Amino acid sequence: MEHNDILEQEKQAVEQLIAIRPITADNAVFRRTGGGFVGMDYTAPDGEVKSFTRVSVHRCFPFSDPGRYISIREPEGDGKEIGLIEELGALPRETQEMLEEQMALRYFIPQISRIKSIKEEYGYSYWDVTTDRGVCRFTVRMGGGSVYSIGGGRYLINDIDGNRFEIPDLNKLSSREIRELDLFI
């Protein structure tokens, strides 16, 4: 095989990897599968119908634009992208609900409505909060990257176990609660 042929094959492989394949109501049908998963039949631009027994659903912009740019991926291996939904609202209501359920599982983020206390000790902080899912206690490693602003008075907190919590509006907390947060924001 000539050098130019190899380069052309590599170029085509890269183009295939970075190609954006739109997923729309016209070229994809989603279905519920056993075990609470979602499968999909997808008609590729070349007319080939591909059936996926299970797909993984990811938001490209989970905080700033949660209803747009939804990546549909293979669930195993490296999670190769199958295609991209530009606007979730453009799909049938039943499909939207199916995909929203999947994303709610992936992006489970309890919202903090009240901060009872935050104690700091030995490089960790121990949070006792009330969320929309009930009372919760969790531990955060001190230092950068555990509590950060996601815009508009919203904050995201990552605990040491990889769980995420959101403060949806800092201004709705009491002055005492904001003082407790001063070390982190």
Side-chain angles (χ1 to χ4, degrees):
M1 192 177 276
E2 288 188 35
H3 181 69
N4 287 340
D5 291 337
I6 294 171
L7 287 176
E8 185 60 33
Q9 284 180 344
E10 288 177 355
K11 179 182 172 191
Q12 288 174 359
V14 167
E15 286 175 357
Q16 183 104 20
L17 282 172
I18 64 172
I20 297 175
R21 291 169 290 287
I23 292 180
T24 66
D26 296 330
N27 67 5
V29 176
F30 291 88
R31 64 187 175 287
R32 293 181 191 278
T33 66
F37 298 112
V38 171
M40 177 182 75
D41 294 323
Y42 172 70
T43 305
D46 64 4
E48 179 186 358
V49 177
K50 298 179 181 182
S51 186
F52 298 90
T53 56
R54 183 174 166 210
V55 295
S56 183
V57 185
H58 300 259
R59 289 183 169 115
C60 293
F61 303 101
F63 301 110
S64 61
D65 209 352
R68 294 180 46 124
Y69 304 110
I70 309 301
S71 175
I72 304 300
R73 303 178 191 172
E74 294 177 359
E76 288 89 28
D78 61 357
K80 179 182 173 193
E81 186 171 78
I82 299 164
L84 189 70
I85 299 168
E86 185 174 339
E87 181 70 49
L88 189 60
L91 297 176
R93 187 79 205 131
E94 182 180 322
T95 299
Q96 290 178 45
E97 290 171 2
M98 249 189 289
L99 298 178
E100 287 285 0
E101 287 171 11
Q102 293 299 304
M103 289 185 291
L105 293 171
R106 175 173 302 285
Y107 298 100
F108 177 71
I109 304 174
Q111 296 192 341
I112 296 172
S113 56
R114 183 169 171 246
I115 297 172
K116 295 179 181 181
S117 69
I118 304 174
K119 306 282 188 224
E120 182 188 353
E121 191 173 279
Y122 304 112
Y124 292 92
S125 58
Y126 301 90
W127 298 56
D128 186 359
V129 301
T130 302
T131 73
D132 60 340
R133 306 298 175 128
V135 173
C136 188
R137 291 180 182 89
F138 57 91
T139 304
V140 172
R141 183 172 284 114
M142 297 295 288
S146 294
V147 180
Y148 52 96
S149 172
I150 53 176
R154 295 170 60 199
Y155 284 82
L156 195 66
I157 298 107
N158 293 318
D159 76 2
I160 61 171
D161 295 318
N163 300 309
R164 293 175 288 194
F165 300 86
E166 180 184 354
I167 297 173
D169 187 352
L170 186 68
N171 297 317
K172 289 188 176 179
L173 297 177
S174 71
S175 57
R176 181 203 56 82
E177 291 169 308
I178 292 172
R179 276 192 309 275
E180 293 252 7
L181 284 170
D182 264 350
L183 223 91
F184 307 98
I185 57 176

